[in-house]
Amino acid sequence: DLHGLDAVGTWSYYQNPFVGTVQLRGLIVLQAMLGNSDLKDDNNALYELEEELEGADTWYVSRDLGHTFGRTGVIDAPRGDIEVFEETPFITGVVNGRVKLDWRGRHDALLEDITAADVRWICGRLDKLTDRQWNDAFRAGGYEKALADRFIRRLKQKIAEGLALKE
């Protein structure tokens, strides 16, 4: 349920109006940053609005983040595990101008063309979140403060790592 709206369908990472944009690549980087390898179309909802809201009449929403905060992978990847999340690298290198992220999953083709600019773009936006916004998000997710603080600390480390990337 999103503002009382009903989803009218799903959308694909491979076929949508944002393919090839920094915004979609930024979303993919965010998914990797969160440790989410469950990038199925079923987890993406499409909402059509009766009236334009926030400049759009259609919203493309990525939802169902139940497979996050651990390590990515298809089989038996740890989820919601703070120790694994803290220990798992974010960026593993840059090869031929493409950023290599510590990510495993069925849709690894989505991560093939990620550039340093893409990573800096999403990290720049995340870096603007206030401590209150971070805390509110984790509280809404039902996380105890001490555990939320650890997840937030690691996410901020990843953001700093992304902002420091050079071309």
Side-chain angles (χ1 to χ4, degrees), residues 49 51-59:
L49 310 178
E51 293 182 28
E52 226 179 69
L53 182 62
E54 298 177 7
D57 59 7
T58 305
W59 285 350

Side-chain angles (χ1 to χ4, degrees), residues 38-57:
D38 194 18
L39 303 181
K40 301 182 300 192
D41 293 352
D42 291 352
N43 292 339
N44 297 331
L46 186 64
Y47 296 91
E48 291 180 358
L49 310 178
E50 290 181 18
E51 293 182 28
E52 226 179 69
L53 182 62
E54 298 177 7
D57 59 7

Side-chain angles (χ1 to χ4, degrees), residues 35-39 67 71-74 79 103-106:
N36 184 18
S37 56
D38 194 18
L39 303 181
H67 285 147
R71 183 178 300 116
T72 60
V74 180
R79 312 288 190 213
W103 191 90
R104 293 162 210 76
R106 286 182 215 154

Side-chain angles (χ1 to χ4, degrees), residues 30-39 63-72 77-82 85 138 143 151:
L30 176 61
Q31 297 284 21
M33 184 184 289
L34 295 173
N36 184 18
S37 56
D38 194 18
L39 303 181
R63 60 183 188 182
D64 189 359
L65 298 174
H67 285 147
T68 56
F69 299 134
R71 183 178 300 116
T72 60
R79 312 288 190 213
D81 186 322
I82 186 58
F85 188 72
F138 277 85
Y143 288 85
F151 279 114

Side-chain angles (χ1 to χ4, degrees), residues 154-165:
R154 180 63 181 125
L155 284 165
K156 287 182 176 185
Q157 290 169 347
K158 290 180 178 188
I159 291 165
E161 186 180 348
L163 289 171
L165 264 180

Side-chain angles (χ1 to χ4, degrees), residues 12 34 83 93-94 102 120 127-128 131 144-145:
S12 166
L34 295 173
E83 285 82 16
V94 179
D102 187 81
R120 285 193 310 270
D127 193 45
K128 293 177 182 177
D131 288 339
E144 296 290 330
K145 175 94 171 94

